[in-house]
Amino acid sequence: MLENRPIEKEMKDSYLDYAMSVILSRAIPDIRDGLKPVQRRILYSMYEMGLTFDKPYRKSARIVGEVMGKYHPHGDAAIYASLARMAQPFSMRYPLVDGQGNFGSMDGDPPAAMRYTEARLERISNELLEDIEYETVDFAPTFDGTLKEPMFLPGKLPNLLINGSSGIAVGMATNIPPHNLGEIVDALIYLIDNRNADIDELMKFIKGPDFPTGGVIMGKSGILEAYKTGKGKIILRGKGEIKKNEIIFTEIPYEVNKADLLTKISELSKAGIIHGIQSIKDESNKEGIRIVVKLESSANPEVTLKQIYENTQMEVSYGIINLVLLDQTPKILSLKEILEEFLKHRELMVRRRTEFFLKKAKSRLHILEGLIKALDAIDLTIKIIRESKDPKEAREGLKSQFNLDDEQANAILDTRLQRLTNMQMEELQTEFKDLTQKVTEYEKILSDENERWEIIKEEFLELKRMYGDSRRTEIVDSYVETTEEELIPHEENTIILSEDNRLNRIEIDSFVSQRRGGKGVYAGNQESQIRQIITADSHDYIYLFTDKGKVYKIKAYQIPKGERRSRGKLIENIIEGLKDKVVFIMNERSIDENKFIMFFTEKGKGKRTRLDEFRNIRSNGIIATKLRDDNLKYVILTKGDGKVALLSTDGNLVLVNESEFRPMGRAAMGVTGIRLVNGNKLAAVDYVEKDSLLIVTERGMGKRVSTQEFTMRHRGTKGMRAIKITDKTGTPVSAFSVENNDEIIIITKNGKTIRIKAETVPVQGRNAQGVRLMDLDENDVVVSASTI
């Protein structure tokens, strides 16, 4: 018969039917036994097949065929996947199936084909199925109406909470984490005795989820929210321990693919997102997980560990949604509500079981009454039977003589002659007495709710005794996110800027003090000419000024730590997008002591700007000074009323008051600082605060000259001779004010350095060429010198 229906109504009705089918028949667990239909059907089929824990294994394919043919009208792949999951100790906190063969791994390896694996029920599954034969549960017709299947299992085991459940239905999802059996049992017993207990009281017993793979839950706030409302989020970490230059992980978060996790760590290490990893080795075996992350000698283990947690699934956010089927309706329940509903279920099961036992006992007592009556008058009983012409007449005669019913009379007629002895009579009387006592006990249980709860508590305690184990997942009481910076130790470092635009950070003790004229030690790779060296705490900001007039800011610890001989890391790999040449670096601590910053270019132009304009530097840098056909050469800090020395490559020096340079904004170009002739360039600039200037030339010569020998000039002049330039000296490369107790570092083109005391350098006149400060190798020249 055809029916005309609007397409909208047909689509709506069909979709609702589909949605309810998924919710009720696939994805959401029942509150009573914590199982989805496919899981329940698998366990019940295995129970019917006699595959208990003490029986031999049976092929998985045989089990799947039984389930699919009798109860589950879906594909064999879905059934086998559920069977395999219930056998995986890394998926189930308390596995329900005892599998033999390859049932998959934490690396994401799938189970072997069902024809290769075997299975039987785990012993603990008996606690879900026990009493099912005692009319405790409701049965419903199967999909084809030929058989009946249980709508739920008796479930002495609080399976919903101890094994958890996850599933995605239509428009809703469930994600219940597993818990520790002992903790759940303790909470259930406490709730039986304290019905008004709140979540805080229950959490004295249930600390939180307990995952089969262990891990560490960071903080209790998410747990408390989930237990109170039914929804919450927890942070779950793998367990890692730092040992010397290794990080060893012995546990990973629940349901994280170990192979994918290690691949991700390796990829992020190569990409520079996770720093300091030398190698990763998976040493996991049947005994447990062991992932060894070997670190580079310069790595900070705490920082590397934090980066692994932040950027990989070694730390995951686990969302809790306690969505269950309650009276065939999906509901989100709090922890207490789940426990209460489970207790209601167990009380009903105990009551139904007792009713079954009572019914059976009364039925047997009824039979025993008739047998005892007949055996008390055995001669009369035999006479009635012998004188009767057929069983019907014998039955009616017994009923009339002993006041029996059909059931009692039939039982007498069915009794074999060998039982008509005095011994059998005693046995019947003993059985009658025992059954009478049991009937009294059963009636008491049914009439007294407290009796039922005592039985339930005893059952729970037996569960804990047989299957209870220690907690696997650690819980950190309170958790405050630690920043990467907080993990960096404070230490004094030397920051080295090289001519090929590289930065290196090394320990300050790498340099040792030497006598004037020594050969020096290597400060870097010979391929990298060193331009500048400063000292800084690992937490100091380092300002980087480029030859194009921009300034950038980074923390010192962001500069990779290396060795004295290492080449350093390209700045463009440290600061993304910075391809300009860095000409000057500065420690943030210098800003606190000064008011102005001065810029000087190769062509002798200078500018003074207030430091306040550099407080907020964007990640992509800001303009420090405007340039036109020129390059920034030097940057110095001043206090507002000092002197500035500008040295040209021909040895002339201008000593000028900084007030000659009026304050300008960052976008200004500046004014002439020193007049350069004959193609000379600016060689050095320094803020003069001390009595003498130390001048160093490219040939390793140098001297100290008193600032009293220089007449203060106006900016824009050629200046006065500061050092005599000869072939022996070469052009000057540095000039800076010093005191006797200052230490000097001199750096050569080939990467050698020497560290000397300023007092070892003699004070000479303006026309002197200086003394040998450093013995240079052939084809090597000095490129920089400064105080430290």
Side-chain angles (χ1 to χ4, degrees):
M1 178 179 178
L2 297 177
E3 179 184 357
N4 291 323
R5 299 186 67 192
I7 187 68
E8 312 87 51
K9 180 172 178 54
E10 179 63 28
M11 292 294 292
K12 180 180 179 181
D13 292 346
S14 297
Y15 185 76
L16 287 175
D17 290 343
Y18 161 72
M20 290 306 297
S21 174
V22 173
I23 292 169
L24 300 178
S25 303
R26 294 193 191 184
I28 310 301
D30 192 284
I31 184 71
R32 294 166 288 191
D33 57 15
L35 298 171
K36 301 176 186 179
V38 65
Q39 296 172 323
R40 186 180 302 114
R41 288 162 178 166
I42 290 170
L43 296 179
Y44 183 64
S45 292
M46 294 177 73
Y47 171 77
E48 280 193 315
M49 294 169 68
L51 298 182
T52 53
F53 69 93
D54 53 350
K55 299 297 191 302
Y57 294 92
R58 192 75 62 86
K59 283 287 186 182
S60 298
R62 170 75 173 82
I63 300 170
V64 171
E66 186 83 3
V67 176
M68 185 167 58
K70 286 186 174 181
Y71 304 114
H72 200 64
H74 300 285
D76 59 340
I79 299 172
Y80 185 51
S82 295
L83 173 70
R85 178 177 172 80
M86 289 193 289
Q88 293 172 342
F90 51 86
S91 295
M92 303 287 282
R93 182 62 177 83
Y94 300 90
L96 301 175
V97 172
D98 180 8
Q100 184 167 263
N102 175 18
F103 277 89
S105 73
M106 294 181 68
D107 289 323
D109 303 313
M114 68 179 79
R115 62 182 178 274
Y116 297 121
T117 62
E118 297 177 332
R120 65 184 178 187
L121 291 172
E122 281 280 7
R123 186 183 188 119
I124 198 171
S125 295
N126 185 62
E127 311 300 341
L128 281 171
L129 292 154
E130 188 177 349
D131 300 337
I132 197 170
E133 69 272 25
Y134 299 145
E135 299 180 359
T136 52
V137 301
D138 300 328
F139 282 76
T142 56
F143 64 93
D144 58 359
T146 59
L147 298 169
K148 288 191 174 183
E149 62 176 316
M151 297 179 65
F152 55 90
L153 298 184
K156 184 190 301 182
L157 192 73
N159 182 63
L160 179 66
L161 285 173
I162 67 170
N163 273 323
S165 185
S166 63
I168 300 174
V170 179
M172 60 185 68
T174 185
N175 203 32
I176 303 171
H179 291 78
N180 184 272
L181 173 60
E183 293 181 3
I184 297 298
V185 165
D186 290 342
L188 285 167
I189 293 174
Y190 182 80
L191 189 58
I192 290 173
D193 296 331
N194 303 273
R195 291 311 179 104
N196 294 322
D198 58 20
I199 295 298
D200 291 328
E201 291 179 75
L202 294 175
M203 284 188 68
K204 293 178 182 178
F205 304 96
I206 303 176
K207 307 302 180 184
D210 189 23
F211 297 99
T213 53
V216 182
I217 297 174
M218 309 305 293
K220 286 188 173 181
S221 58
I223 300 173
L224 181 61
E225 181 182 1
Y227 285 174
K228 285 186 175 180
T229 67
K231 297 178 72 174
K233 182 176 71 174
I234 60 175
I235 303 299
L236 180 63
R237 282 183 173 181
K239 184 174 287 186
E241 183 180 2
I242 297 172
K243 291 185 177 179
K244 296 183 179 179
N245 67 329
E246 292 179 338
I247 299 174
I248 300 175
F249 292 98
T250 53
E251 296 172 3
I252 65 174
Y254 182 52
E255 294 185 326
V256 168
N257 185 306
K258 177 161 62 68
D260 291 347
L261 173 62
L262 298 187
T263 300
K264 187 67 173 178
I265 294 174
S266 179
E267 290 175 352
L268 294 178
S269 175
K270 292 177 182 178
I273 296 174
I274 298 177
H275 303 120
I277 294 179
Q278 186 180 93
S279 63
I280 305 171
K281 189 175 182 181
D282 187 1
E283 299 179 356
S284 305
N285 53 35
K286 291 182 179 180
E287 301 300 319
I289 290 174
R290 181 179 168 86
I291 300 168
V292 180
V293 180
K294 192 171 183 180
L295 304 178
E296 298 170 351
S297 58
S298 60
N300 185 314
E302 287 82 5
V303 172
T304 303
L305 179 60
K306 178 175 175 58
Q307 290 173 341
I308 291 174
Y309 283 140
E310 283 184 344
N311 298 287
T312 72
Q313 283 195 302
M314 195 61 81
E315 176 180 293
V316 297
S317 175
Y318 188 93
I320 299 174
I321 308 174
N322 294 335
L323 180 71
V324 296
L325 289 180
L326 177 60
D327 298 328
Q328 293 296 292
T329 304
K331 289 185 178 181
I332 294 177
L333 303 181
S334 68
L335 174 66
K336 183 179 179 181
E337 289 172 330
I338 292 176
L339 295 175
E340 287 175 334
E341 291 299 328
F342 180 71
L343 289 178
K344 288 180 185 177
H345 167 66
R346 283 308 301 158
E347 193 272 336
L348 176 63
M349 294 299 97
V350 170
R351 185 152 33 94
R352 284 188 175 185
R353 180 184 66 193
T354 307
E355 288 171 350
F356 176 85
F357 290 155
L358 178 62
K359 177 181 175 183
K360 287 290 184 182
K362 284 185 174 182
S363 176
R364 178 62 177 164
L365 274 177
H366 186 60
I367 299 297
L368 289 176
E369 285 177 355
L371 288 173
I372 291 172
K373 284 181 180 180
L375 291 179
D376 275 341
I378 187 64
D379 294 335
L380 181 58
T381 301
I382 293 173
K383 180 180 179 182
I384 293 171
I385 295 173
R386 288 183 65 182
E387 293 177 353
S388 301
K389 62 182 180 180
D390 55 31
K392 181 178 180 182
E393 184 178 334
R395 181 168 53 249
E396 293 300 324
L398 291 172
K399 288 169 61 179
S400 175
Q401 179 65 40
F402 298 112
N403 192 24
L404 305 177
D405 58 21
D406 287 341
E407 188 178 15
Q408 291 171 313
N410 287 332
I412 294 170
L413 292 174
D414 292 338
T415 301
R416 299 172 64 180
L417 288 174
Q418 69 179 24
R419 298 199 64 185
L420 304 180
T421 64
N422 289 332
M423 184 177 294
Q424 290 297 318
M425 182 63 179
E426 291 177 5
E427 288 181 4
L428 290 176
Q429 289 175 339
T430 300
E431 183 183 359
F432 185 86
K433 182 179 179 181
D434 291 342
L435 281 177
T436 302
Q437 184 178 349
K438 285 185 178 180
V439 167
T440 303
E441 292 175 359
Y442 295 149
E443 289 177 339
K444 182 180 180 183
I445 291 171
L446 291 173
S447 62
D448 189 348
E449 185 179 15
N450 291 329
E451 286 289 328
R452 296 195 292 276
W453 289 123
E454 287 301 318
I455 292 172
I456 292 170
K457 286 197 289 186
E458 289 175 8
E459 291 177 345
F460 285 160
L461 289 173
E462 182 65 11
L463 284 177
K464 183 178 179 180
R465 186 189 67 79
M466 292 185 64
Y467 309 108
D469 58 2
S470 58
R471 163 172 281 278
R472 299 180 187 177
T473 301
E474 180 184 342
I475 300 176
V476 177
D477 287 340
S478 59
Y479 172 60
V480 178
E481 183 69 29
T482 304
T483 65
E484 181 177 315
E485 184 171 335
E486 291 174 329
L487 298 175
I488 304 292
H490 285 269
E491 58 182 7
E492 282 293 313
N493 297 135
T494 299
I495 312 296
I496 302 174
L497 171 67
S498 61
E499 287 288 353
D500 57 355
N501 225 34
R502 293 175 182 270
L503 283 175
N504 195 9
R505 179 167 63 99
I506 63 177
E507 293 181 4
I508 196 167
D509 292 337
S510 297
F511 299 112
V512 295
S513 184
Q514 294 182 330
R515 292 184 178 182
R516 176 174 62 83
K519 295 284 288 187
V521 295
Y522 283 102
N525 189 292
Q526 291 188 10
E527 299 177 4
S528 301
Q529 299 178 27
I530 294 180
R531 179 181 182 88
Q532 185 188 355
I533 292 179
I534 64 171
T535 59
D537 181 87
S538 53
H539 287 256
D540 288 346
Y541 275 111
I542 305 299
Y543 290 77
L544 292 79
F545 295 86
T546 73
D547 60 349
K548 301 305 179 185
K550 290 192 72 175
V551 59
Y552 298 79
K553 182 174 73 170
I554 61 171
K555 283 283 189 178
Y557 65 75
Q558 293 178 271
I559 302 170
K561 203 171 184 180
E563 301 295 332
R564 180 164 49 81
R565 288 177 174 267
S566 59
R567 195 177 180 188
K569 196 172 185 71
L570 283 170
I571 293 175
E572 63 182 276
N573 292 332
I574 301 174
I575 302 178
E576 186 177 355
L578 176 51
K579 297 185 180 295
D580 297 339
K581 183 178 179 63
V582 174
V583 297
F584 191 77
I585 57 176
M586 179 179 69
N587 188 339
E588 69 164 335
R589 285 184 284 180
S590 302
I591 295 179
D592 298 333
E593 303 167 0
N594 300 276
K595 296 179 180 178
F596 294 92
I597 185 168
M598 298 189 72
F599 303 95
F600 295 92
T601 70
E602 285 184 346
K603 294 183 179 180
K605 283 190 172 294
K607 185 183 79 170
R608 187 165 65 131
T609 303
R610 292 188 177 278
L611 278 170
D612 290 341
E613 297 197 30
F614 295 90
R615 293 294 181 186
N616 299 315
I617 298 179
R618 297 187 298 269
S619 60
N620 61 345
I622 61 173
I623 293 174
T625 184
K626 190 174 181 181
L627 302 173
R628 181 182 297 168
D629 300 326
D630 204 351
N631 290 318
L632 183 62
K633 182 76 173 180
Y634 283 105
V635 180
I636 63 171
L637 299 172
T638 70
K639 296 180 179 179
D641 56 357
K643 303 172 185 177
V644 180
L646 289 81
L647 180 68
S648 65
T649 52
D650 60 2
N652 286 334
L653 183 143
V654 172
L655 188 63
V656 60
N657 196 301
E658 69 169 284
S659 60
E660 292 273 322
F661 299 86
R662 64 179 179 82
M664 299 179 180
R666 288 188 295 106
M669 290 183 60
V671 294
T672 301
I674 184 172
R675 182 163 56 89
L676 302 174
V677 296
N678 300 326
N680 284 296
K681 296 181 179 180
L682 185 65
V685 174
D686 193 49
Y687 187 62
V688 180
E689 295 183 287
K690 301 168 184 177
D691 294 334
S692 62
L693 289 169
L694 193 149
I695 301 173
V696 182
T697 70
E698 63 181 351
R699 300 293 183 187
M701 302 291 288
K703 68 177 184 180
R704 282 192 293 162
V705 59
S706 174
T707 55
Q708 300 298 320
E709 294 200 30
F710 296 94
T711 304
M712 294 291 293
R713 300 292 178 93
H714 293 291
R715 64 173 181 79
T717 60
K718 183 179 179 181
M720 304 169 64
R721 175 177 288 184
I723 188 170
K724 184 179 180 180
I725 302 301
T726 65
D727 291 340
K728 183 179 179 180
T729 63
T731 59
V733 294
S734 295
F736 47 92
S737 62
V738 294
E739 292 178 346
N740 284 342
N741 59 352
D742 286 341
E743 282 193 298
I744 313 301
I745 282 186
I746 303 174
I747 307 128
T748 74
K749 174 183 177 181
N750 291 339
K752 280 192 172 182
T753 70
I754 189 171
R755 183 170 165 178
I756 62 175
K757 291 284 189 180
E759 63 187 3
T760 65
V761 182
V763 177
Q764 297 181 336
R766 290 192 298 108
N767 291 316
Q769 64 179 1
V771 296
R772 175 70 57 191
L773 301 181
M774 188 175 187
D775 187 13
L776 300 176
D777 295 333
E778 188 176 355
N779 298 323
D780 198 7
V781 294
V782 174
V783 294
S784 177
S786 64
T787 58
I788 58 172

